[in-house]
Amino acid sequence: MIFLVCCHHISLEHLSVSGKHKFLGYIRCKEAMPQLCDLAINVNGQQTFFINQKVLSAYSEKLKKIVRREKRKSHIKNSIIEIDDFPGGPDGFELVSRFCYNHGEIKITVSNVALLHFCAVFLGMTENVSTSNLLKQTETFLDGMIYWSWQDTVSCLKSCELFLTNADSSGLVEKLIFSLLGKIAYNTDIATLAASSSSSSSSPETASRFRFSSPSKTTPESTKPRSSSKQWWFDDLIILPPMIIERVIKNMGAYGTDNDSLILTKSLLHFLKMAVLQCKRGAKRAALYSRSAYAGLADTAVHGVISMSCSFSCRGLFSVLRIVSGFGLSKDCRAKLEMLIGGMLDQATLDDLLVSGHDRGVFDVNLVLRLMRIFVHSDLLSSQKLKKVGTLIDKYLCEISPDQNLKTSKVLGVAESLPDSARDSFDGVYKAIDIYLESHPTLPFEERSRLCRCLNYEKMSLEACKDLAKNPRIPPDIAVQALKLQHSKISKGEYSACVKDVKGPSMINSSGMVLYNGDGESLSPENVQDTRMNMQWRVMELEKACREMKRRMPKLVGHDVNVMRGTTPHYSRSPLPKLC
C-alpha cells in the first residue's frame, strides 16, 4: 500500500466546508501516523505532497540535501518545502514518489520514460544512492529505442513537449531525433528527396548530411511505417512542437537558406498551415507557443519557395504569403516573396489580392501597394500585362471601398499606382469612388474633391459622366470639369465648339439659361442645387447632340470622301446641330 497524500496549496479559509473536513481528516491521519507523513513538499507552486522523508531520501540524495537545507533555514520541524522547476510538475513528482514507495519498481513505457528520466536526472537518482535506481532503469529502456516502432519514437518525442528545457540538458531529445532520422533514412529514397529540388544545387552533399544524422545500426523491418507517401514522415511529425521540428530539419542540413527540397518545403507549409488553424480554433497546444516560435520554420519554408519559384503559381505564392505572414517572418524573406508575387501580378485574381489586414482595416491594402510598385518597375512589363492589372485593380478598389476604416489616401494610392495607359476607361475607378463616398457619408467636402483627382475625365464614357453630373455625392466643380471635357470630345468631330475657356464668359443656351459662369473651383456649396440643375440640362443637350452625330455619321463619312475627290455633295451645306 502506498501512503501518498497530496493537496492543493491553499489556506483553510479558502476551503469549502466539505474541503475543510477532508483536510482536517488528513491532519488527524498525519498526527496518528507521523512515521508515514513527516514531510510536506510543494511542487512548482501547484500541489503540496505529504510523504515519508526516509522513503524518498533512500533513492534521491538531492532530495535529502534539499530537506536538510530548508529545515536549517526555517528552523521549523514541519514546515513546507518548496521545489521549483520540477520536470513535469506534480505529475512528475507523483510518478517518482510511486517508484520510491514501490521499492524502486515502476512500469516504464514510451509515454512516461522521458518524464521519469528527467525526474531522475533532476533528483540525482543514481546508482551511488541505490542500486537499480530510476536513472539506470530509464537509461536501459532508452538504449533500446533503435528497435522502437516509428510511432513509439514520435510519441516519446511528443511527451517531451512540456519539459523541453530539461530534455535539452539531458540530451534525450537529440537521441530521439537521431532515431527518427535513422528510420526516415531507412524508409525513404534519399536521392528522391534530394532530387525534389528544382535547382541543380541539390547535390549528394545534402543526402550525405542527412545520412550522417542517422544511427549506424540497422533499423529493423518492423519499425518501417506503413505509408508509401514521399511525405509520410512529415505528416506524422505534425503533432510535434515547432522547436523539435526545427531540430529535426537542422539535423537534416536543410534549415534556413540551406533548404532546397520541394518535398520538405511543402511539408513545412502544411505544418505551418495546421498551426494557423489550431491558433484560430484556440487549441491548447497552440496556446503554448507564440507565433514567433515558428519564425525559423517560416523562413526555411520561404527560402525553399524562392529557390524553387518555378514550381509555384501566382495563386500558390499568395497562399504561401497568407500562411507565413503571421509567424514573425524576417524582412528579407518577406521582401523576396513579395518580389516574386509582384513580378507575376498579371496572373493574379481578385481573390488573391483580398488578403486579410493585420491592422484596423479589413484588407491588407499596404501589401497591394507594395506589389503594385514591384509590378510597375518590373523589367518584362508589357502594355497587355499593364491593362490586365489595371482591370484587376479597378475591381479591387470596388471591393475594398465599403471598408469603414479605409482612408482616402489608401484609395488614392491604389488608384494612382498605375499610369493612365493601364486603363482604356476610368469608369471602374469612378464606380469605386462612388461606392466609397456612399459608404463614407460624413467625408468632408475637401476630401471628396481630393478623392476625385485620380479620375481622368477624358477616358470616362458619356454614361459615366452623366451619372457623375447627377451624383449628389460628387462636388459640383468636379462634375463641371467632367462635362466640359466631354463637350470637348464631341466638339473635336465635325462640329465647331462654341464653348470658350473655362474662365471666360458664361455659357448660355438658346433659351438664355446660364449653364456655367466663372471658375469651377469657385463654386460654393450654397449654389450646388442650381448648378446641378444646369448640369443635368447640359447632359440632356449632350445626349441629344450625340444622337444627332450618330444619325449623320454615315453622311459625314461620305462627305470626307467627296472632298478628297474634289466634289461637294448637296447635303454638305446643311447646317450641323449646334451644341450651344
Side-chain angles (χ1 to χ4, degrees):
M1 174 178 275
I2 299 176
F3 295 94
L4 174 64
V5 183
C6 66
C7 70
H8 290 285
H9 186 51
I10 54 178
S11 62
L12 286 175
E13 290 78 6
H14 293 87
L15 290 173
S16 63
V17 176
S18 59
K20 286 184 179 179
H21 289 164
K22 291 180 181 179
F23 189 82
L24 293 174
Y26 162 71
I27 295 296
R28 296 190 188 98
C29 174
K30 182 175 182 294
E31 291 173 351
M33 297 182 294
Q35 71 280 8
L36 296 178
C37 307
D38 60 354
L39 183 63
I41 297 179
N42 180 264
V43 178
N44 295 355
Q46 297 174 345
Q47 282 186 353
T48 299
F49 291 83
F50 297 89
I51 59 173
N52 184 279
Q53 178 181 341
K54 284 186 178 181
V55 173
L56 265 70
S57 298
Y59 295 93
S60 173
E61 185 68 26
K62 183 176 181 179
L63 183 61
K64 186 186 299 184
K65 292 179 180 179
I66 291 174
V67 171
R68 290 174 182 173
R69 183 177 69 248
E70 293 297 326
K71 285 190 173 182
R72 280 198 301 267
K73 287 182 180 179
S74 60
H75 300 290
I76 301 175
K77 184 177 181 181
N78 294 320
S79 63
I80 297 178
I81 297 174
E82 296 184 359
I83 298 180
D84 298 324
D85 300 325
F86 194 87
D91 293 338
F93 191 84
E94 182 178 347
L95 281 176
V96 171
S97 301
R98 292 183 182 278
F99 170 83
C100 297
Y101 273 97
N102 203 35
H103 307 292
E105 293 183 3
I106 193 171
K107 184 178 181 180
I108 301 177
T109 65
V110 292
S111 300
N112 67 14
V113 64
L115 179 56
L116 288 172
H117 181 77
F118 303 145
C119 293
V121 172
F122 184 86
L123 293 174
M125 303 175 74
T126 63
E127 295 299 291
N128 296 331
V129 181
S130 174
T131 57
S132 189
N133 210 343
L134 184 58
L135 183 59
K136 179 66 175 178
Q137 291 187 36
T138 56
E139 287 178 343
T140 302
F141 189 90
L142 290 170
D143 284 342
M145 73 171 62
I146 189 65
Y147 299 104
W148 293 0
S149 68
W150 167 262
Q151 292 298 337
D152 285 345
T153 309
V154 175
S155 298
C156 190
L157 258 178
K158 178 72 170 66
S159 68
C160 301
E161 184 175 4
L162 299 178
F163 31 83
L164 277 176
T165 303
N166 305 100
D168 280 342
S169 60
S170 67
L172 178 57
V173 170
E174 187 176 9
K175 292 179 182 179
L176 289 168
I177 289 175
F178 283 168
S179 179
L180 273 183
L181 293 176
K183 292 175 173 58
I184 295 173
Y186 183 81
N187 296 287
T188 303
D189 186 355
I190 304 299
T192 301
L193 182 65
S196 65
S197 169
S198 62
S199 171
S200 59
S201 62
S202 180
S203 62
E205 181 186 356
T206 306
S208 65
R209 285 181 297 182
F210 187 87
R211 291 195 185 96
F212 179 76
S213 300
S214 61
S216 58
K217 295 182 181 180
T218 303
T219 306
E221 189 73 16
S222 61
T223 64
K224 292 179 64 175
R226 297 177 181 178
S227 176
S228 59
S229 171
K230 294 179 181 179
Q231 299 172 234
W232 62 266
W233 53 276
F234 213 99
D235 291 337
D236 291 341
L237 298 187
I238 286 177
I239 65 172
L240 298 179
M243 292 77 79
I244 292 181
I245 294 292
E246 193 171 294
R247 297 284 187 85
V248 172
I249 296 175
K250 283 181 178 179
N251 280 280
M252 291 175 63
Y255 187 75
T257 56
D258 294 327
N259 177 24
D260 55 4
S261 168
L262 183 60
I263 291 178
L264 179 60
T265 298
K266 290 185 175 181
S267 299
L268 272 176
L269 291 172
H270 181 55
F271 177 79
L272 294 171
K273 183 178 180 179
M274 294 302 296
V276 172
L277 293 177
Q278 288 176 346
C279 289
K280 290 181 178 179
R281 294 169 184 168
K284 292 182 179 180
R285 174 175 175 264
L288 294 174
Y289 309 105
S290 63
R291 292 200 167 192
S292 59
Y294 297 85
L297 298 177
D299 280 2
T300 300
V302 171
H303 281 301
V305 171
I306 293 170
S307 63
M308 293 165 288
S309 58
C310 59
S311 300
F312 293 86
S313 64
C314 184
R315 168 157 288 191
L317 292 176
F318 269 106
S319 178
V320 171
L321 183 62
R322 283 182 169 90
I323 292 173
V324 302
S325 59
F327 288 119
L329 194 67
S330 65
K331 291 183 179 179
D332 181 59
C333 284
R334 174 175 284 277
K336 290 180 179 179
L337 183 58
E338 289 181 1
M339 189 69 69
L340 286 177
I341 299 175
M344 58 174 68
L345 198 61
D346 57 296
Q347 303 175 24
T349 64
L350 179 59
D351 290 338
D352 296 333
L353 294 185
L354 298 177
V355 179
S356 299
H358 301 291
D359 298 326
R360 295 180 59 189
V362 178
F363 301 109
D364 193 349
V365 181
N366 290 329
L367 168 66
V368 175
L369 287 171
R370 292 195 299 269
L371 296 178
M372 291 301 301
R373 283 194 291 268
I374 295 170
F375 173 76
V376 171
H377 293 92
S378 58
D379 296 332
L380 302 176
L381 186 62
S382 64
S383 177
Q384 183 180 3
K385 290 182 178 181
L386 197 61
K387 290 184 178 181
K388 191 173 181 181
V389 173
T391 303
L392 175 64
I393 290 301
D394 289 352
K395 294 179 181 178
Y396 177 75
L397 279 171
C398 292
E399 193 71 27
I400 67 174
S401 291
D403 183 5
Q404 294 297 314
N405 294 317
L406 184 63
K407 297 181 179 179
T408 306
S409 58
K410 298 296 182 184
V411 179
L412 283 172
V414 176
E416 295 177 343
S417 60
L418 290 172
D420 282 4
S421 58
R423 297 181 176 94
D424 292 328
S425 172
F426 270 73
D427 288 5
V429 182
Y430 166 66
K431 180 181 178 182
I433 290 176
D434 187 31
I435 295 173
Y436 184 82
L437 293 177
E438 185 178 5
S439 305
H440 300 74
T442 60
L443 197 68
F445 188 86
E446 295 78 10
E447 284 292 299
R448 285 185 282 160
S449 297
R450 176 170 166 252
L451 186 62
C452 293
R453 78 181 189 192
C454 62
L455 291 173
N456 186 338
Y457 307 114
E458 293 182 349
K459 285 192 173 185
M460 288 178 63
S461 66
L462 179 60
E463 292 297 324
C465 281
K466 282 168 45 183
D467 188 81
L468 185 147
K470 300 174 184 177
N471 194 336
R473 293 179 288 272
I474 299 293
D477 54 329
I478 300 296
V480 168
Q481 293 179 35
L483 287 174
K484 174 179 176 290
L485 287 172
Q486 282 292 321
H487 179 80
S488 300
K489 286 170 60 177
I490 298 175
S491 300
K492 288 178 181 178
E494 292 298 320
Y495 306 99
S496 58
C498 66
V499 180
K500 299 183 179 179
D501 187 75
V502 73
K503 294 185 179 180
S506 303
M507 293 185 292
I508 306 175
N509 66 357
S510 58
S511 61
M513 179 182 289
V514 178
L515 297 180
Y516 174 70
N517 188 13
D519 187 1
E521 296 180 357
S522 64
L523 288 174
S524 62
E526 291 79 4
N527 298 325
V528 168
Q529 188 63 28
D530 293 338
T531 306
R532 197 171 301 282
M533 291 178 61
N534 291 335
M535 286 189 294
Q536 291 178 1
W537 184 91
R538 185 61 180 160
V539 170
M540 295 172 60
E541 286 289 301
L542 288 172
E543 288 179 332
K544 183 178 179 181
C546 286
R547 286 195 298 269
E548 187 67 18
M549 283 181 63
K550 290 179 181 179
R551 186 177 67 82
R552 294 201 177 188
M553 189 58 67
K555 297 180 180 180
L556 292 174
V557 174
H559 167 73
D560 291 340
V561 173
N562 290 328
V563 169
M564 292 178 63
R565 294 175 178 175
T567 61
T568 302
H570 66 280
Y571 57 78
S572 64
R573 295 194 276 290
S574 61
L576 297 176
K578 295 183 178 179
L579 294 178
C580 56

